[in-house]
């Protein structure tokens, strides 16, 4: 006991200094917006740099540049698709005026780090604010049958952190293709190829194998991107909604290239959302 | 003994209240007002008794900083500066030790150690505190010039108050 007091008097200052500064800086980064942004950006820059170099070492040089150019081309083609357009066709008397304008563009990116094992998985991609990426943009898979990957959270000039759909905080608005019933897609932190569809009322009829696609209700994903198929479903006793397990169409372990969805009408939509808050 | 404890408790409460109710609201310098802050609460750490164990000073610094932060809505920023100041205090005191050392039952006040000594000691302490504080506030050394200017301007106007306080009330502890 005497020794303990002696130690406290002799080294307590240093010990408490280190402990309390750690406490202070975690409080700062947690509670102050400006400092948090600087921390996130620096963190992204460092880890992005590290992962990028690591990835380059383990990746074939020629292959990656060829695939990059193909992915860029695909991003342009994808923007030509119908679900990337904002249809402003209107009926006026009997005159029929068809017009559509660009709604979504796609930014191709390469994944430099990925995980599927944790409860809250994140990815890093080799594109950042320099390429037009901002937080809260949807990320979709490239190649194969499609599928979605996640939502951007923190950005630096060259790299971006993406919250994977395999993350407990992720909620994606999706619908059943056959009857357009919509619900939320969440992850229960079990299998990397299974997710849970919630909020579909008990009286809705569907069958196993039905396709699940994005609903287009948020500005993150265009409508109609295929997410997966219904695997099993049941109704919990006392509940009035279905519990549906969805098999994802894409294998998030093997994914290398993604597209980030840029919604050109995002500001328009935010304006009316702001009005709603003001009311 | 008890009077020293009471004095310091009262000083803590008075300076926290003065800082968050009065000095926080004072603003001048127009568009340069971000450079002129009145920050006087470190005087509490500066004047803590010499015989107080180092670890207690660090803990008290943390408590003081967090109290200020709660009102400034900047959780952790003032606290980190106070903890740093409390940690560095024995070093400053060792550098400025008079011949024959300190009488450990005193507090480092103007009344005990004289005008010159107190001015050097409190200036060094306040300057270090402000520099650390503005660095943490900026959270990057990218605008190091700005940090220095803020530290300097704030240092001069805050020092005036500390001098006025010590010379008018001239507390022993």
């Amino acid at each position: 006991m005497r020794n303990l007091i002696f130690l406290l008097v002799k080294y307590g200052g240093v010990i408490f200094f280190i402990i309390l500064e750690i406490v202070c800086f975690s409080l700062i980064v947690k509670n102050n917006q400006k400092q948090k942004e600087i921390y996130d950006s620096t963190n992204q820059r460092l880890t992005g740099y590290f992962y990028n170099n690591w990835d380059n070492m383990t990746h074939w040089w020629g292959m990656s540049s060829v695939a990059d150019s193909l992915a860029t081309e695909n991003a342009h083609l994808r923007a030509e698709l119908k679900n990337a357009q904002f249809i402003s066709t209107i009926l006026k008397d009997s005159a029929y005026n068809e017009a559509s304008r660009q709604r979504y563009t796609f930014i191709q990116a390469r994944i430099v780090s990925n995980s599927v094992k944790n409860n809250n998985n994140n990815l890093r991609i080799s594109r950042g604010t320099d390429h037009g990426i901002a937080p809260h943009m949807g990320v979709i898979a490239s190649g194969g049958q499609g599928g979605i990957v996640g939502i951007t959270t923190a950005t630096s000039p060259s790299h971006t952190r993406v919250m994977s759909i395999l993350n407990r905080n992720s909620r994606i608005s999706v619908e059943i293709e056959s009857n357009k019933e919509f619900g939320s897609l969440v992850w229960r932190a079990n299998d990397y190829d299974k997710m849970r569809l919630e909020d579909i009322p008990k009286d809705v009829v569907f069958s196993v194998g039905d396709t699940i696609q994005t609903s287009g209700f948020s500005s993150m994903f265009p409508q109609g991107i295929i997410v997966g198929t219904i695997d099993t479903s049941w109704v919990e006793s006392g509940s009035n909604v279905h519990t549906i397990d969805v098999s994802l169409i894409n294998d998030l372990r093997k994914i290398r290239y993604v597209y980030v969805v840029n919604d050109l009408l995002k500001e328009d939509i935010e304006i009316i959302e702001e009005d709603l808050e003001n009311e | 003994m008890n009077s020293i404890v009471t004095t310091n408790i009262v000083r803590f409460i008075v300076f926290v209240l003065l800082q968050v109710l009065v000095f926080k609201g004072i603003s001048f310098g127009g568009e340069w007002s971000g450079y002129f802050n009145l920050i006087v609460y470190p005087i509490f750490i500066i004047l803590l008794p010499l015989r107080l164990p180092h670890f207690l000073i660090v803990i008290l610094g943390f408590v003081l900083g967090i109290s200020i932060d709660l009102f400034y809505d900047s959780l952790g920023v003032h606290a980190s500066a106070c903890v740093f100041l409390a940690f560095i205090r024995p070093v400053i005191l060792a550098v400025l030790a008079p011949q024959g050392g300190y009488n450990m039952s005193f507090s480092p006040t103007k009344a005990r150690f004289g005008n010159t000594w107190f001015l050097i000691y409190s200036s060094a302490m306040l300057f270090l505190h402000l520099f650390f504080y503005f660095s943490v506030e900026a959270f990057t050394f990218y605008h190091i010039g700005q940090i220095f200017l803020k530290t300097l301007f704030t240092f001069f106007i805050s020092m005036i108050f500390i001098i006025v306080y010590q010379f008018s009330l001239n507390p022993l502890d």
Side-chain angles (χ1 to χ4, degrees):
Chain A
M1 193 63 204
R2 264 181 76 116
N3 283 341
L4 202 70
I5 294 171
F6 176 75
L7 274 179
L8 193 65
V9 169
K10 190 151 190 216
Y11 300 111
V14 183
I15 296 167
F16 275 101
F17 169 69
I18 294 170
I19 295 173
L20 291 177
E21 284 293 359
I22 292 171
V23 170
C24 284
F25 276 90
S26 42
L27 282 174
I28 292 171
V29 170
K30 230 178 181 152
N31 294 294
N32 299 277
Q33 195 54 36
K34 185 181 120 195
Q35 283 86 343
K36 183 181 157 71
E37 276 166 17
I38 294 173
Y39 171 79
D40 273 351
S41 155
T42 313
N43 197 7
Q44 281 306 305
R45 211 184 276 255
L46 289 178
T47 50
Y49 177 78
F50 171 75
Y51 280 121
N52 208 20
N53 284 345
W54 178 252
D55 195 61
N56 280 343
M57 271 165 60
T58 56
H59 207 70
W60 290 340
W61 288 97
M63 280 288 281
S64 67
S65 68
V66 169
D68 271 346
S69 70
L70 287 176
T72 315
E73 194 176 342
N74 275 337
H76 285 302
L77 290 174
R78 214 171 246 278
E80 299 290 318
L81 288 178
K82 202 164 185 189
N83 69 359
Q85 312 282 330
F86 180 75
I87 312 288
S88 43
T89 304
I90 38 170
L91 278 174
K92 224 180 214 175
D93 295 335
S94 59
Y96 183 65
N97 170 21
E98 182 167 329
S100 66
R101 65 186 239 225
Q102 195 70 37
R103 164 132 195 218
Y104 295 102
T105 58
F106 298 85
I107 304 155
Q108 65 89 8
R110 191 156 56 92
I111 293 177
V112 293
S113 82
N114 190 3
S115 75
V116 296
K117 288 197 287 281
N118 309 325
N119 284 339
N120 293 310
N121 294 296
N122 289 289
L123 313 101
R124 283 189 179 75
I125 58 176
S126 64
R127 289 286 183 269
T129 47
D130 284 353
H131 311 94
I133 295 180
H136 306 299
M137 285 181 167
V139 179
I140 60 178
S142 122
Q145 295 105 321
I148 58 176
V149 177
I151 291 163
T152 60
T153 48
T155 54
S156 71
S158 60
H159 287 80
T160 300
R161 187 170 66 217
V162 177
M163 179 170 76
S164 172
I165 50 173
L166 305 183
N167 187 310
R168 289 201 194 201
N169 300 320
S170 148
R171 276 185 96 81
I172 313 283
S173 175
V174 295
E175 63 187 13
I176 302 173
E177 190 194 13
S178 53
N179 53 21
K180 302 289 183 249
E181 289 289 342
F182 64 93
S184 301
L185 195 64
V186 297
W187 194 52
R188 293 283 171 199
N190 32 31
D191 295 336
Y192 63 87
D193 56 353
K194 290 270 191 310
M195 288 185 72
R196 178 72 54 81
L197 174 55
E198 292 182 338
D199 308 338
I200 300 284
K202 200 161 68 174
D203 53 313
V204 170
V205 183
F206 55 85
S207 51
V208 170
D210 275 0
T211 305
I212 304 295
Q213 61 185 19
T214 53
S215 68
F217 288 167
S218 71
S219 64
M220 288 167 188
F221 297 104
Q223 197 261 340
I225 292 182
I226 295 171
V227 176
T229 53
I230 294 178
D231 189 48
T232 50
S233 80
W234 67 94
V235 179
E236 303 265 1
S237 61
S239 167
N240 51 8
V241 293
H242 286 290
T243 307
I244 303 173
D245 271 345
V246 175
S247 305
L248 294 177
I249 196 163
N250 50 334
D251 185 344
L252 280 154
R253 283 179 315 168
K254 292 183 181 158
I255 191 158
R256 302 289 298 173
Y257 288 91
V258 294
Y259 298 112
V260 182
V261 180
N262 180 19
D263 185 358
L264 303 175
L265 300 187
K266 194 171 196 165
E267 282 178 12
D268 292 11
I269 292 167
E270 276 167 3
I271 288 169
I272 51 175
E273 294 297 330
E274 270 172 26
D275 282 357
L276 194 69
E277 281 166 20
N278 294 340
E279 273 162 20
Chain B
M1 170 65 204
N2 272 330
S3 81
I4 294 185
V5 174
T6 325
T7 311
N8 278 288
I9 291 174
V10 171
R11 189 180 287 142
F12 180 93
I13 296 169
V14 168
F15 274 96
V16 168
L17 289 181
L18 266 180
Q19 182 69 43
V20 301
L21 297 180
V22 183
F23 296 133
K24 182 173 175 255
I26 295 177
S27 121
F28 50 87
E31 58 178 318
W32 287 73
S33 64
Y35 289 83
F36 293 97
N37 297 287
L38 263 168
I39 293 180
V40 297
Y41 64 85
I43 191 76
F44 171 74
I45 300 173
I46 293 175
L47 294 182
L48 281 172
L50 287 172
R51 62 157 170 248
L52 205 62
H54 191 196
F55 76 94
L56 265 181
I57 300 179
V58 173
I59 293 173
L60 284 174
F62 181 74
V63 174
L64 173 70
I66 285 292
S67 319
I68 300 288
D69 275 329
L70 288 177
F71 294 96
Y72 270 76
D73 208 13
S74 61
L75 210 57
V77 182
H78 288 277
S80 65
C82 283
V83 170
F84 169 74
L85 182 70
F87 173 72
I88 207 78
R89 193 181 103 131
V91 180
I92 306 285
L93 283 171
V95 169
L96 298 175
Q99 245 168 6
Y102 292 101
N103 182 338
M104 292 307 278
S105 58
F106 287 168
S107 294
T109 52
K110 174 189 121 12
R112 296 286 195 192
F113 292 95
N115 297 352
T116 325
W117 183 89
F118 180 77
L119 273 180
I120 296 171
Y121 166 67
S122 53
S123 311
M125 291 285 280
L126 188 67
F127 192 88
L128 283 172
H129 177 87
L130 292 175
F131 183 71
F132 194 94
Y133 167 70
F134 285 115
S135 306
V136 174
E137 196 213 15
F139 219 62
T140 158
F141 284 113
Y142 193 74
H143 302 292
I144 181 85
Q146 212 173 33
I147 295 173
F148 261 118
L149 284 182
K150 281 185 176 181
T151 307
L152 267 182
F153 293 154
T154 302
F155 171 74
F156 281 121
I157 58 173
S158 306
M159 204 58 212
I160 290 171
F161 182 86
I162 290 177
I163 292 170
V164 168
Y165 162 64
Q166 281 290 306
F167 277 74
S168 59
L169 298 181
N170 203 9
L172 268 181
D173 291 307

